[in-house]
Amino acid sequence: MPKPKTWLRLVLVVLALAALAYAAWRFTRPLPPAVELATIARGTVEATVVNTRAGTVKACRRARLAPVAGGQIVKLWVKESDRVKAGQPLLELWNRDLTAQRELAARQLATSEERRREACIMADNARRNAERTQQLAARGFVSPQRGEDDRAEARARQANCDALATDVKRAQAQIRVALAGLERTTLTAPFAGIVAKVTGEVGEFTTPSPPGIPTPPAVDLIDDTCLYVSAPMDEVDAPRLKPGQPARITFDALPGHVFPGHVRRIAPYVTEVEKQARTVDVEVDFDAPPKQILLVGYSADAEIVTERRDKVLRVPTQAIRQDGTVLVLGKDDRLETRRLKTGLANWAFTEVTGGLNAGERVLLSFDREDVQAGTRVTPNTLKDMKAAKP
């Protein structure tokens, strides 16, 4: 029989081997997968509609101006990026013939006024002469026929004065015609704004666009003090949109900036373009003028809020699986399947009407094969979920 000391050595060896085996298993076994969890809490949930294609920043007033008549540019008073006032001349076409006609009409007016003045003086003199003759005829110094002749002469002179007064009005109208012709050769700003583009130089020929032939405008004028966003929305979302609904506007050129706005107009028709989804153009106004400089033509996105609910129980939308269930962290850090009853929803959060309670934690991502219901996991709770935007 082995001695007691030998038994003790065997026991110690076995215990040491067992400890080594346990340590090896302990440190080599696979750890529970670390997952991201979100804590269920109350907050705001909004139903929103977002444009299907990029929207565009547009000006409330933009005019692509061209002269009424074609001609050669002789004066160009503005250049691109100049600011102009309403009524300020922009360019002038060759108009020497019309200027000469205006001068001729002015000379004719002066002549007509002098003739009218002469005729009216003669008519006034004839009237006084007829009155004197009438007095002499009443006393018998002249014949009644002489009095009748003088009165007829006075009426004739007055008629001539009136006729020449009409001729003066005709000459004045002729001047207005000449001025209207000159206005056709001068392009003026219909409103205050900034010159976006000038097509043409001094000496070149410009002409208005005939029907069916697109011709670049001579001057592109933009009123950049009033801007809005035009965004195409899917026709399926059109029945949910109404003027006055709040909106959030973002720009690719200004990342991180969100501008509040509201819907001002919804197009009364659906835009049909070949090989594109049918959309409805929605115009969104800014609630306040942006402090940042916005350029007409910027690409923009408009997120329109169609319905809003505050202080409701909500769950991150990405945590909901296709079958309408979520994985909830249960006892012993094991995941459990839970079916939800949901209400209002958007891309960020979904309203929970049943199936979850405040404070419970749900799995955010479920695209890993090693994470299923019943899996024991290592929690990694997102602490900033409550502060996330709706």
Side-chain angles (χ1 to χ4, degrees), residues 282-306:
V282 177
E283 296 178 1
V284 181
D285 273 338
F286 294 91
D287 287 344
K291 297 180 181 179
Q292 292 80 359
I293 298 177
L294 299 181
L295 300 179
V296 175
Y298 265 166
S299 61
D301 293 323
E303 184 181 9
I304 301 173
V305 180
T306 59

Side-chain angles (χ1 to χ4, degrees), residues 181-259:
L182 285 173
E183 289 181 1
R184 292 168 62 90
T185 63
T186 303
L187 187 62
T188 58
F191 51 83
I194 186 171
V195 177
K197 189 174 182 60
V198 176
T199 304
E201 296 292 340
V202 174
E204 294 182 350
F205 193 85
T206 183
T207 180
S209 299
I213 302 178
T215 303
V219 178
D220 189 358
L221 184 63
I222 297 175
D223 180 9
D224 57 352
T225 60
C226 176
L227 301 176
Y228 69 95
V229 172
S230 177
M233 302 290 177
D234 194 280
E235 62 175 348
V236 177
D237 299 324
R240 300 162 55 192
L241 301 177
K242 297 179 182 179
Q245 289 177 332
R248 289 185 288 269
I249 305 171
T250 56
F251 300 95
D252 294 339
L254 300 172
H257 291 80
V258 180
F259 302 89

Side-chain angles (χ1 to χ4, degrees), residues 62-112:
R62 181 174 184 176
R64 295 171 175 84
L65 306 173
V68 178
Q72 186 182 29
I73 301 175
V74 295
K75 292 181 181 179
L76 191 59
W77 286 298
V78 296
K79 59 182 181 295
E80 295 179 0
S81 299
D82 282 354
R83 290 199 170 273
V84 298
K85 299 179 180 180
Q88 180 177 335
L90 306 177
L91 62 82
E92 182 179 334
L93 305 180
W94 185 88
N95 55 12
R96 292 182 182 178
D97 54 342
L98 298 177
T99 302
Q101 291 180 7
R102 183 190 61 183
E103 294 178 357
L104 176 61
R107 297 294 177 85
Q108 291 177 346
L109 175 61
T111 302
S112 297

Side-chain angles (χ1 to χ4, degrees), residues 19-333:
L20 291 174
Y22 177 78
W25 173 81
R26 178 76 178 177
F27 291 104
T28 59
R29 68 173 182 172
L31 296 176
V35 294
E36 292 183 345
L37 302 174
T39 304
I40 303 301
R42 293 188 177 274
T44 301
V45 179
E46 297 175 342
T48 59
V49 175
V50 184
N51 46 289
T52 56
R53 298 193 308 273
T56 306
V57 177
K58 295 185 177 182
C60 297
R61 292 190 296 181
R62 181 174 184 176
R64 295 171 175 84
L65 306 173
V68 178
Q72 186 182 29
I73 301 175
V74 295
K75 292 181 181 179
L76 191 59
W77 286 298
V78 296
K79 59 182 181 295
E80 295 179 0
S81 299
D82 282 354
R83 290 199 170 273
V84 298
K85 299 179 180 180
Q88 180 177 335
L90 306 177
L91 62 82
E92 182 179 334
L93 305 180
W94 185 88
N95 55 12
R96 292 182 182 178
D97 54 342
L98 298 177
T99 302
Q101 291 180 7
R102 183 190 61 183
E103 294 178 357
L104 176 61
R107 297 294 177 85
Q108 291 177 346
L109 175 61
T111 302
S112 297
E113 288 178 344
E114 291 299 325
R115 289 178 178 176
R116 181 192 62 80
R117 182 168 173 268
E118 177 188 5
C120 290
I121 291 175
M122 296 299 295
D124 188 59
N125 183 61
R127 179 183 57 78
R128 290 194 299 268
N129 188 36
E131 291 176 354
R132 288 192 295 269
T133 303
Q134 185 67 23
Q135 293 175 359
L136 293 175
R139 296 179 182 180
F141 293 108
V142 296
S143 64
Q145 183 63 37
R146 175 67 182 276
E148 293 292 336
D149 292 341
D150 288 347
R151 287 197 298 273
E153 177 70 15
R155 291 195 297 270
R157 294 284 184 178
Q158 186 60 43
N160 188 33
C161 175
D162 296 339
L164 291 176
T166 304
D167 189 64
V168 169
K169 294 180 179 179
R170 180 199 60 79
Q172 292 173 344
Q174 189 65 34
I175 290 180
R176 291 193 293 270
V177 171
L179 291 176
L182 285 173
E183 289 181 1
R184 292 168 62 90
T185 63
T186 303
L187 187 62
T188 58
F191 51 83
I194 186 171
V195 177
K197 189 174 182 60
V198 176
T199 304
E201 296 292 340
V202 174
E204 294 182 350
F205 193 85
T206 183
T207 180
S209 299
I213 302 178
T215 303
V219 178
D220 189 358
L221 184 63
I222 297 175
D223 180 9
D224 57 352
T225 60
C226 176
L227 301 176
Y228 69 95
V229 172
S230 177
M233 302 290 177
D234 194 280
E235 62 175 348
V236 177
D237 299 324
R240 300 162 55 192
L241 301 177
K242 297 179 182 179
Q245 289 177 332
R248 289 185 288 269
I249 305 171
T250 56
F251 300 95
D252 294 339
L254 300 172
H257 291 80
V258 180
F259 302 89
H262 62 276
V263 178
R264 77 165 185 177
R265 175 183 174 271
I266 301 173
Y269 61 91
V270 175
T271 301
E272 179 184 0
V273 181
E274 186 178 0
K275 297 182 180 180
Q276 291 186 7
R278 299 191 180 189
T279 57
V280 177
D281 291 334
V282 177
E283 296 178 1
V284 181
D285 273 338
F286 294 91
D287 287 344
K291 297 180 181 179
Q292 292 80 359
I293 298 177
L294 299 181
L295 300 179
V296 175
Y298 265 166
S299 61
D301 293 323
E303 184 181 9
I304 301 173
V305 180
T306 59
E307 189 175 353
R308 177 188 176 99
R309 295 178 186 173
D310 296 322
K311 298 180 180 180
V312 297
L313 205 63
R314 64 183 186 178
V315 61
T317 301
Q318 65 178 0
I320 303 176
R321 298 193 289 183
Q322 292 183 354
D323 57 357
T325 61
V326 294
L327 294 178
V328 184
L329 186 67
K331 297 180 179 179
D332 299 329
D333 291 337

